[in-house]
Amino acid sequence: MNMFLHELKAYRKSTITWTLTLVGLIILFLSMFPAISQEAEAFKKLMEGFPEEIRLALGLSVENIGSILGFYSYVFLYISLFGAIQAMILGVSILSKEVREKTADFLLTKPVTRTQIVTSKLLAAFTSLLITNVFYLGAATMMASLVETKEYSTKVLLLLSLTLFFLQLFFLAMGILISLAVPKIKSVLSISLGTVFAFFIIGALVSTTGDEALRYLTPFKYFDFAYIMQNSSYESSFMMVAIAFIVIAITASYLIYSKRDIHAV
């Protein structure tokens, strides 16, 4: 418990910063919706002037842009990008920081097992992301109710918003695995940004192909916003792949960390 609280406190500033960033972004984006909805037809004509490949890469659905859920699904693509960066940085740093800060030997001399160390750090990271998502979901729900006067499905809004948490869990697990696969990480930020942007670009390219099989290559395409709005549910095959990866990555992290030689210098 002490280690969990210590880790949670260590990432307090980071959690607050990312939470305020995501909340600020959704407030900014949704505050634009009334103007967009009033000029929906003109905006649609403007968007139709863009090549279809560009619209697909940007996640633009011309038909739905005038509705709150359609507009939200568009801006949420970029919210998820920021959220993925937060989770990736957390995942890469949470187990590697002891090596970078040369405190690994000190930590491992304490009367705790390596399993307890991983569990405490993992729970702290999970709690940090959970806090961010609770505040984000509250802000998104509040703003949607303020800017949209017509009826809309709160269930779909909730499902769209929760994809942020699922995506963050995916990148958290990936970040932890990468941090254990790379012996010494000098720059958490460069690895995190490089990985997230690589998957984001792959997602944009996959959108232009229309090939369903290629969607498995990037977590950014595991949640099809159009499908969620039409069916009020997630695609089970992609959810199963995401859950399987998270479980395998976390399990592998425990195994690797328990057998790994860890030096402070």
Side-chain angles (χ1 to χ4, degrees):
M1 179 60 72
N2 288 337
M3 192 182 303
F4 165 75
L5 294 176
H6 173 78
E7 291 295 329
L8 199 59
K9 183 178 180 181
Y11 287 99
R12 180 178 55 189
K13 290 183 179 179
S14 173
T15 302
I16 293 173
T17 300
W18 280 108
T19 300
L20 291 177
T21 298
L22 292 178
V23 168
L25 283 174
I26 195 57
I27 291 175
L28 174 64
F29 285 146
L30 289 186
S31 66
M32 301 176 184
F33 176 72
I36 296 294
S37 61
Q38 290 176 5
E39 302 294 335
E41 292 303 319
F43 192 74
K44 288 179 182 178
K45 291 181 180 179
L46 176 64
M47 292 298 100
E48 288 172 353
F50 288 86
E52 184 178 1
E53 291 77 9
I54 299 297
R55 296 202 305 269
L56 290 172
L58 295 176
L60 272 172
S61 176
V62 177
E63 297 77 13
N64 299 321
I65 198 67
S67 68
I68 184 63
L69 294 177
F71 181 76
Y72 181 66
S73 66
Y74 166 60
V75 300
F76 187 78
L77 176 65
Y78 304 98
I79 294 289
S80 64
L81 174 61
F82 279 85
I85 293 173
Q86 176 195 9
M88 191 70 188
I89 291 175
L90 196 58
V92 173
S93 64
I94 201 163
L95 286 179
S96 64
K97 71 172 185 176
E98 306 298 342
V99 175
R100 294 194 314 276
E101 297 175 3
K102 301 180 180 180
T103 59
D105 286 347
F106 173 77
L107 178 63
L108 294 175
T109 57
K110 296 294 181 179
V112 292
T113 65
R114 293 195 180 195
T115 298
Q116 290 174 317
I117 292 173
V118 175
T119 301
S120 297
K121 288 175 175 286
L122 189 59
L123 285 176
F126 178 85
T127 304
S128 177
L129 295 180
L130 185 62
I131 291 171
T132 296
N133 278 269
V134 167
F135 280 96
Y136 171 80
L137 181 59
T141 303
M142 180 191 68
M143 283 299 298
S145 64
L146 288 176
V147 302
E148 178 59 281
T149 56
K150 301 177 183 178
E151 291 187 4
Y152 62 91
S153 173
T154 53
K155 178 182 178 181
V156 171
L157 181 70
L158 178 63
L159 288 173
L160 289 171
S161 300
L162 285 177
T163 61
L164 174 64
F165 186 55
F166 296 136
L167 187 67
Q168 286 185 317
L169 291 181
F170 189 100
F171 277 103
L172 174 67
M174 181 183 293
I176 293 173
L177 195 58
I178 289 176
S179 71
L180 293 175
V182 180
K184 290 185 179 180
I185 296 178
K186 295 182 179 180
S187 175
V188 170
L189 189 60
S190 60
I191 291 179
S192 301
L193 291 179
T195 303
V196 172
F197 277 112
F199 279 109
F200 188 78
I201 292 171
I202 291 173
L205 295 176
V206 168
S207 297
T208 64
T209 66
D211 190 332
E212 289 293 301
L214 292 178
R215 289 175 55 196
Y216 289 100
L217 296 176
T218 170
F220 283 106
K221 303 307 296 181
Y222 286 5
F223 303 95
D224 187 334
F225 301 146
Y227 180 92
I228 294 172
M229 287 190 289
Q230 291 174 5
N231 300 278
S232 298
S233 65
Y234 300 130
E235 294 174 273
S236 58
S237 60
F238 288 96
M239 279 297 295
M240 290 172 61
V241 170
I243 293 172
F245 174 83
I246 293 170
V247 171
I248 292 172
I250 295 300
T251 303
S253 298
Y254 272 100
L255 294 174
I256 294 172
Y257 193 79
S258 65
K259 298 179 180 180
R260 183 179 179 183
D261 292 329
I262 300 176
H263 306 285
V265 292

